[in-house]
Amino acid sequence: MTLPVLNTTHDPTRRSWIPSANRPDHDFPVQNLPWGVVRSGPGEPERLGVAIGDLVLDVATVAPILDLPEDDRRLLLAARLDPLLAADPAAWSRIRRALFDLLAAPENPGVPDGALLRLEEVTPALPCTIGDYTDFYASRHHATNVGRMFRPDAPLLPNWLHLPVGYHGRASSLVPSGTSVRRPSGQREDSPGAPVFGPSRLLDYECEVGALLGGANPLGTPVPIARAGERIFGLCLVNDWSARDIQKWEYQPLGPFLAKSFATTLSPWIVTTEALAPWRIPVAARAPDDPPLLPHLVDPSDQVAGGFDLTLEVLLDTAGMREAGHPAFRVSLGSFREMAWTLAQMVAHHASNGCNLRPGDLLASGTVSGPEPESRGCLLERTWRGSEPLMLPGGEQRTFLEDGDRVTMRAWCETARGRGGAIRIGFGSCVGTVLPAPIGMDDTQESTA
């Protein structure tokens, strides 16, 4: 078995006629070409775009000059990714190659000025119609850490080693990066057996990687593991905001509900799996005493190249830090390398009962954590349930999020770790700021159940 084949679009020597795309530290060189949807101003229509350097290419305006079949060009005229996601991977690849050829030309081949928007001047929107959202729990380090907090004698439940554990999220509360998030209210058990209703006091973020799906399988038709990776159009960052105190009270026996459904933030840009080909890696090794996987979750190619070598960073700045001019504080620096379950395994497991996965469905990895405290992907772990507060610039402390706190997540693929001399590509930022709970839900007006 071999890793995915690299092609012309991964050539590290190619440069763009757009100067900003050629900076070595930029997230969006011509080898990346991530997809997104943006608005150029309030009330303006959504536009399907590709990020290139400091600009966004409005693909509908250049569709007529791309060297593509007419059916492929029509996919680019929509305001969102929906038609493209419904197409097959061959079309995804043809369109990527055509855009690469356009943007990697020695000079502007006739792209009109109005086709290029300044990245800093546009507002991101959701990339497509996301009908369903499923969140997984696929990091062994995260699952073990949380298990130790609540079940010291049995951190991993028996099923965790046999299948990628997941639950259905709430698609209607997915929001694009930059959207502020209101602190949720719900029932908390402040004292045993006596819940109160009020704003969450233990608000947290979760640093995750999302997979946007393309294609479709009819209801009742599983997706075999050998084909599951073909369903993944691209990856993004996901902040699955979590109210830990609400979750602790409500999650037994059915799992998260109000503690998660109030908001989930997506980064603006979908980095395609083809762009990520140089950073495909083997799945993390299982422990010697782990049970063998059942056959429907094992494919040799997925074991060799089902992983993605991404670096993940979480930054936090408070209202006080911003006022004082302090830079954001790095809370964690982690890696997607050590995930115990691959995204293809999540797809195959999800559809193994015949569930029909549709174009635009979103899967999220669950919190991505590593072995060291500095690589833990949420405050629950990073502060160990609040027992190890973070010391921030200016003297503030944090155990969980306060109103006015801003969380920024970033991800990139390191140049030195890619095959074929691949140059760095990035995901942009996933940003959200905490707003106070709605008026009338403050602590002075909490109600007892």
Side-chain angles (χ1 to χ4, degrees):
M1 297 296 171
T2 59
L3 295 170
V5 175
L6 304 186
N7 58 41
T8 301
T9 67
H10 303 108
D11 184 350
T13 67
R14 297 294 294 274
R15 295 292 182 266
S16 174
W17 50 268
I18 296 174
S20 60
N22 301 321
R23 297 205 310 261
D25 61 341
H26 207 294
D27 278 352
F28 307 132
V30 73
Q31 291 82 2
N32 191 350
L33 303 182
W35 291 88
V37 172
V38 298
R39 289 187 176 91
S40 58
E44 292 294 315
E46 294 179 347
R47 304 186 189 194
L48 181 60
V50 164
I52 176 73
D54 291 335
L55 304 173
V56 179
L57 177 69
D58 182 344
V59 294
T61 63
V62 299
I65 64 173
L66 295 175
D67 183 16
L68 286 171
E70 188 59 34
D71 286 348
D72 288 354
R73 288 198 190 101
R74 279 196 288 268
L75 300 175
L76 305 179
L77 302 181
R80 287 188 167 193
L81 278 171
D82 299 38
L84 185 58
L85 295 174
D88 58 45
W92 305 344
S93 189
R94 286 192 302 269
I95 292 171
R96 171 178 164 82
R97 175 61 182 268
L99 289 169
F100 180 88
D101 289 343
L102 181 80
L103 295 168
E107 57 186 24
N108 187 342
V111 175
D113 290 342
L116 291 168
L117 311 172
R118 293 192 60 79
L119 191 60
E120 63 185 17
E121 295 176 355
V122 299
T123 301
L126 292 178
C128 62
T129 303
I130 301 175
D132 283 296
Y133 160 50
T134 303
D135 192 30
F136 284 86
Y137 192 52
S139 165
R140 186 166 189 154
H141 294 294
H142 173 64
T144 301
N145 283 338
V146 175
R148 283 180 179 147
M149 293 177 195
F150 299 100
R151 299 180 304 275
D153 297 330
L156 289 180
L157 294 174
N159 67 338
W160 198 92
L161 293 171
H162 291 274
L163 56 83
V165 174
Y167 75 96
H168 292 290
R170 182 73 184 176
S172 67
S173 53
L174 293 168
V175 297
S177 177
T179 305
S180 296
V181 172
R182 284 212 172 272
R183 181 177 298 274
S185 293
Q187 288 192 22
R188 311 185 314 253
E189 188 188 27
D190 289 354
S191 57
V196 298
F197 181 87
S200 170
R201 293 175 175 172
L202 306 181
L203 184 60
D204 201 354
Y205 62 81
E206 291 187 345
C207 181
E208 308 191 15
V209 172
L212 195 65
L213 302 188
N217 55 294
L219 182 65
T221 305
V223 177
I225 181 63
R227 305 295 302 274
E230 300 171 12
R231 296 291 301 275
I232 303 171
F233 175 78
L235 309 187
C236 65
L237 291 173
V238 174
N239 182 352
D240 193 31
W241 304 88
S242 299
R244 301 299 186 185
D245 41 2
I246 296 172
Q247 183 176 353
K248 181 182 177 182
W249 173 243
E250 73 176 2
Y251 86 102
Q252 301 184 57
L254 294 181
F257 187 46
L258 300 184
K260 300 273 193 174
S261 63
F262 61 96
T264 301
T265 303
L266 272 62
S267 58
W269 301 105
I270 309 300
V271 179
T272 64
T273 51
E274 186 170 354
L276 292 165
W279 293 275
R280 298 300 293 268
I281 57 174
V283 64
R286 291 168 68 85
D289 57 348
D290 284 352
L293 295 177
L294 295 174
H296 72 290
L297 293 175
V298 180
D299 173 68
S301 294
D302 187 54
Q303 293 296 301
V304 169
F308 293 86
D309 190 355
L310 315 180
T311 299
L312 304 166
E313 179 184 51
V314 180
L315 304 170
L316 173 66
D317 60 90
T318 71
M321 289 170 61
R322 295 192 294 275
E323 185 177 352
H326 293 301
F329 174 79
R330 176 188 279 177
V331 182
S332 67
L333 186 69
S335 173
F336 202 57
R337 293 176 58 88
E338 300 179 57
M339 297 299 286
W341 296 98
T342 69
L343 294 170
Q345 286 174 321
M346 297 177 208
V347 172
H349 175 65
H350 202 324
S352 62
N353 66 344
C355 175
N356 53 325
L357 303 176
R358 299 174 295 186
D361 281 357
L362 177 71
L363 308 186
S365 64
T367 303
V368 181
S369 290
E372 305 298 331
E374 294 78 13
S375 61
R376 295 169 181 168
C378 64
L379 289 176
L380 178 70
E381 293 175 85
R382 190 68 176 84
T383 70
W384 207 257
R385 294 182 74 184
S387 65
E388 302 172 7
L390 295 176
M391 301 300 299
L392 304 179
E396 292 182 271
Q397 295 186 15
R398 283 296 182 273
T399 53
F400 290 93
L401 296 172
E402 302 292 339
D403 295 344
D405 288 355
R406 180 170 59 191
V407 178
T408 300
M409 297 176 181
R410 300 194 295 214
W412 60 89
C413 298
E414 304 276 3
T415 300
R417 304 176 76 98
R419 291 186 295 129
I423 65 172
R424 179 191 188 279
I425 65 173
F427 284 65
S429 299
C430 180
V431 183
T433 303
V434 179
L435 297 179
I439 295 174
M441 294 297 181
D442 57 80
D443 285 352
T444 61
Q445 300 186 36
E446 289 176 351
S447 58
T448 302

